[in-house]
Amino acid sequence: MTQPELLIDIQGLSFSRGSRLIFDDLSLSIPKGKVTAIMGPSGTGKTTLLKLIAGQLKPDSGQILVEGLNVHKLKRSKLYELRQKMGMLFQSGALLTDLNVFDNVAFPLREHTKLPESVIEPLVLMKLQAVGLMGARDLKPSELSGGMSRRVALARGIVLDPEMIFYDEPFVGQDPITMGVLVTLIRKLNDSLGLTSVVVSHDVDEVLSIADFVCVLSEGKIIAQGAPKELLESNSDYVNQFVKGLPDGPVPFHYSNESYQHALQKGKGK
Amino acid sequence: MNRQSIMNWVAGIGSRVLSMFASLGRMALFVLSLVPAIPYSFYRVELLVKQVYVAGVLSLPIILTAGLFVGMVLTLQGYNVLVDYNSEEAVGTMTALSLLRELGPVVTALLFAGRAGSALTAEIGLMRSTEQISALEMMAVDPLKFIFAPRFTAAFITLPMLTLLFIAMAILGGYLVAVGWLGVDEGSFWSQMQASVDWREDVINGVIKSIAFAALIAIIALYQGFDAIPTSEGVSNATTRTVVHSSLGVLGLDFILTTMMFS
């Protein structure tokens, strides 16, 4: 079997915030043209990993290669060139609040191309139609629901036809219909535009239904990776606990603290 | 007070001093990265015009109203003193000089810090908390050029203009009180003012002061927004810090500039 071509190669990545170690010698390869899902409990640094890949954060050690380029060694201008090939869907949508929906989606085109408005308009409307929000073109971000904001942000993320797109929790707060549309859309976009998609999410069923490759993170390390089917059939306690959403298991539910009994005995109960 | 609590108190002071120096260091790095981006604000004139409108035009009502009242009060107080010495015609000179040299630049800067500086910090702090600045970076748009530089340059352009308008309005207020109400001779009021106000010494120095205040307020406001903890409490604290630091900074810098210019 031939090895798939890699788009993103993370080697020996370590990153900490203050005294808290987020990633400890993490290595991960993201294949080109596939949908890769990064899953894990809250606080495992999934969003941080996306920001590290995009060069918004610097690792303590290790390197991240995107298209063979070490992201954190690139000059600002080269990094920005690389980012034009990336689309990012932020958890909050991150729309520019002083622009309406149309102008938000048109923003990357106006900043990075010299296309006339007569070309920009159909391009933007096409992307808005793809996310089902062409009728909302004149609304301001404050008039949109959380789910709608994220769909506008998705239209903005794909308007430059990027080579890779990062989704940060795309399914949170979506109604079941929109969720279904989004799941299909992510898969379709990936296949029809030849994208490489990285989806960070908690939503096990949706993610497993569209991902080609899944990686489960916990406590700064990869605890399982492989095709969705492999994960579903896994014997690992970690994977079973996460995939089935069990409260008890090796992945701690509590943020690290002193023992409950000890806290009660001290009478502080912090 | 036992030894441990004294040590904690000393350590608390040490910690505050260290965090203050760390913040100053971050501010210096922020300014160093902002300076090369400033010329870009002239390439994107539409962004600059919008910020000039937001910081300048929208500040006009408060600046003009405050100017009118400051001029009226100043003239009234000056008249009450000068009339005892039969030199009430000099009230125009007194009003103009105190406004051009001190009150105009300082009061306008204080009002600007409260009106436009706080708005800048809140806007940028909220942009950070809603990930808009991260989104710009991800879209390969440099926030320093797109967000920070036009706001800095707009403050630079608008504060000196607002200062001159404040002074003009205050002199008008002074005229209304002195000539219209208190009966000071109109010819004396204007001619004494014209004879004693020096273009370079008074007007230009006042404008130089307002340019220095604009740089100070813009740097503090932009940095506080940039460095704000991205929560509602963090943005609220940063906005308060902008007004407090800018106001104290303006008063301190005014003393230094006055010493250099007029002593």
Side-chain angles (χ1 to χ4, degrees):
Chain A
M1 197 175 99
T2 52
Q3 284 290 319
E5 193 183 346
L6 294 181
L7 186 73
I8 299 166
D9 193 12
I10 301 169
Q11 299 166 350
L13 177 76
S14 294
F15 180 77
S16 48
R17 281 189 193 276
S19 58
R20 189 169 164 238
L21 192 64
I22 310 278
F23 297 119
D24 182 15
D25 197 23
L26 181 95
S27 294
L28 172 68
S29 300
I30 296 176
K32 197 170 184 171
K34 306 281 181 194
V35 177
T36 300
I38 297 170
M39 307 183 78
S42 298
T44 40
K46 301 184 296 297
T47 304
T48 307
L49 185 61
L50 289 185
K51 289 192 171 179
L52 281 161
I53 295 172
Q56 287 195 314
L57 294 173
K58 282 200 166 176
D60 300 336
S61 63
Q63 59 177 7
I64 297 175
L65 305 175
V66 178
E67 290 189 325
L69 299 168
N70 187 338
V71 174
H72 301 98
K73 292 265 165 74
L74 290 177
K75 282 187 183 168
R76 202 177 179 83
S77 56
K78 292 283 173 198
L79 179 64
Y80 276 17
E81 266 178 41
L82 183 66
R83 280 189 189 154
Q84 288 188 41
K85 299 178 189 173
M86 296 174 175
M88 167 92 91
L89 176 64
F90 285 88
Q91 202 170 340
S92 60
L95 298 177
L96 301 176
T97 42
D98 54 340
L99 303 180
N100 66 17
V101 166
F102 182 91
D103 290 334
N104 259 291
V105 180
F107 182 80
L109 287 170
R110 288 178 179 151
E111 287 298 313
H112 295 302
T113 69
K114 292 195 168 119
L115 294 173
E117 284 299 310
S118 57
V119 177
I120 288 178
E121 186 170 354
L123 276 174
V124 171
L125 293 181
M126 201 162 67
K127 304 296 180 189
L128 280 174
Q129 175 69 11
V131 295
L133 287 174
M134 202 170 79
R137 59 175 287 178
D138 296 322
L139 296 182
K140 284 278 196 177
S142 57
E143 298 171 287
L144 302 175
S145 70
M148 286 163 85
S149 295
R150 232 165 305 148
R151 280 149 67 195
V152 175
L154 176 56
R156 183 179 68 180
I158 55 172
V159 78
L160 278 179
D161 291 334
E163 290 176 22
M164 58 199 107
I165 183 153
F166 306 134
Y167 300 90
D168 188 2
E169 299 285 2
F171 308 120
V172 172
Q174 301 286 3
D175 61 76
I177 301 169
T178 313
M179 178 114 81
V181 172
L182 264 182
V183 168
T184 321
L185 193 62
I186 291 174
R187 185 73 244 183
K188 271 192 181 165
L189 283 173
N190 193 81
D191 297 343
S192 57
L193 300 178
L195 290 172
T196 301
S197 310
V198 181
V199 185
V200 157
S201 180
H202 291 115
D203 298 271
V204 177
D205 294 336
E206 285 75 20
V207 168
L208 293 186
S209 69
I210 52 166
D212 296 304
F213 179 76
V214 183
C215 166
V216 184
L217 290 178
S218 180
E219 296 183 334
K221 288 185 183 296
I222 294 174
I223 53 169
Q225 56 183 322
K229 203 175 165 204
E230 289 167 28
L231 253 72
L232 287 170
E233 290 166 1
S234 168
N235 294 324
S236 159
D237 291 342
Y238 280 100
V239 179
N240 269 325
Q241 188 197 353
F242 187 73
V243 171
K244 292 173 187 162
L246 304 173
D248 291 321
V251 182
F253 168 66
H254 292 280
Y255 192 80
S256 67
N257 62 349
E258 62 179 330
S259 82
Y260 186 42
Q261 188 185 359
H262 188 229
L264 288 177
Q265 278 171 347
K266 276 203 305 186
K268 284 185 180 174
K270 304 192 250 195
Chain B
M1 197 186 269
N2 63 23
R3 196 172 161 214
Q4 185 60 41
S5 58
I6 293 171
M7 287 304 289
N8 286 344
W9 184 70
V10 172
I13 292 174
S15 161
R16 282 186 176 204
V17 171
L18 284 178
S19 71
M20 191 183 80
F21 277 110
S23 179
L24 277 176
R26 287 198 302 275
M27 188 194 264
L29 288 174
F30 171 75
V31 173
L32 279 179
S33 55
L34 176 64
V35 168
I38 290 169
Y40 285 89
S41 48
F42 296 102
Y43 289 106
R44 298 293 300 268
V45 181
E46 75 281 8
L47 296 176
L48 184 58
V49 168
K50 186 179 175 192
Q51 292 310 318
V52 167
Y53 173 78
V54 170
V57 178
L58 296 183
S59 298
L60 274 177
I62 185 175
I63 297 289
L64 295 181
T65 313
L68 187 70
F69 283 113
V70 167
M72 286 162 72
V73 168
L74 194 65
T75 305
L76 192 56
Q77 291 284 12
Y79 177 86
N80 287 338
V81 175
L82 290 171
V83 78
D84 292 342
Y85 302 97
N86 279 335
S87 49
E88 61 270 23
E89 286 82 10
V91 74
T93 306
M94 189 218 69
T95 306
L97 286 183
S98 51
L99 281 166
L100 283 164
R101 291 180 177 186
E102 292 297 335
L103 282 175
V106 172
V107 176
T108 313
L110 293 177
L111 292 170
F112 187 79
R115 162 67 183 77
S118 59
L120 271 185
T121 302
E123 185 190 16
I124 290 173
L126 284 171
M127 284 180 114
R128 247 174 69 80
S129 69
T130 52
E131 297 190 292
Q132 291 180 56
I133 291 181
S134 285
L136 282 175
E137 283 184 349
M138 275 310 299
M139 288 187 279
V141 174
D142 189 347
L144 284 170
K145 293 175 188 167
F146 189 81
I147 301 283
F148 293 93
R151 284 162 175 76
F152 182 85
T153 312
F156 232 77
I157 293 170
T158 52
L159 187 52
M161 289 164 82
L162 288 172
T163 301
L164 291 174
L165 286 169
F166 176 93
I167 293 169
M169 205 64 192
I171 289 175
L172 178 69
Y175 168 80
L176 290 175
V177 167
V179 178
W181 180 25
L182 300 170
V184 173
D185 180 62
E186 184 172 2
S188 304
F189 181 86
W190 290 120
S191 62
Q192 288 210 20
M193 189 189 294
Q194 195 177 4
S196 55
V197 170
D198 182 71
W199 168 254
R200 206 203 65 79
E201 181 83 358
D202 301 318
V203 180
I204 296 296
N205 275 344
V207 171
I208 291 172
K209 274 187 176 182
S210 70
I211 291 173
F213 296 156
L216 182 82
I217 294 168
I219 286 171
I220 290 174
L222 293 174
Y223 170 72
Q224 289 295 347
F226 175 76
D227 199 48
I229 298 167
T231 60
S232 38
E233 191 191 6
V235 175
S236 145
N237 287 340
T239 310
T240 308
R241 276 199 301 274
T242 290
V243 177
V244 173
H245 293 186
S246 303
S247 304
L248 294 178
V250 163
L251 295 171
L253 185 61
D254 182 52
F255 176 71
I256 295 169
L257 291 173
T258 303
T259 314
M260 286 161 65
M261 289 170 174
F262 298 106
S263 63

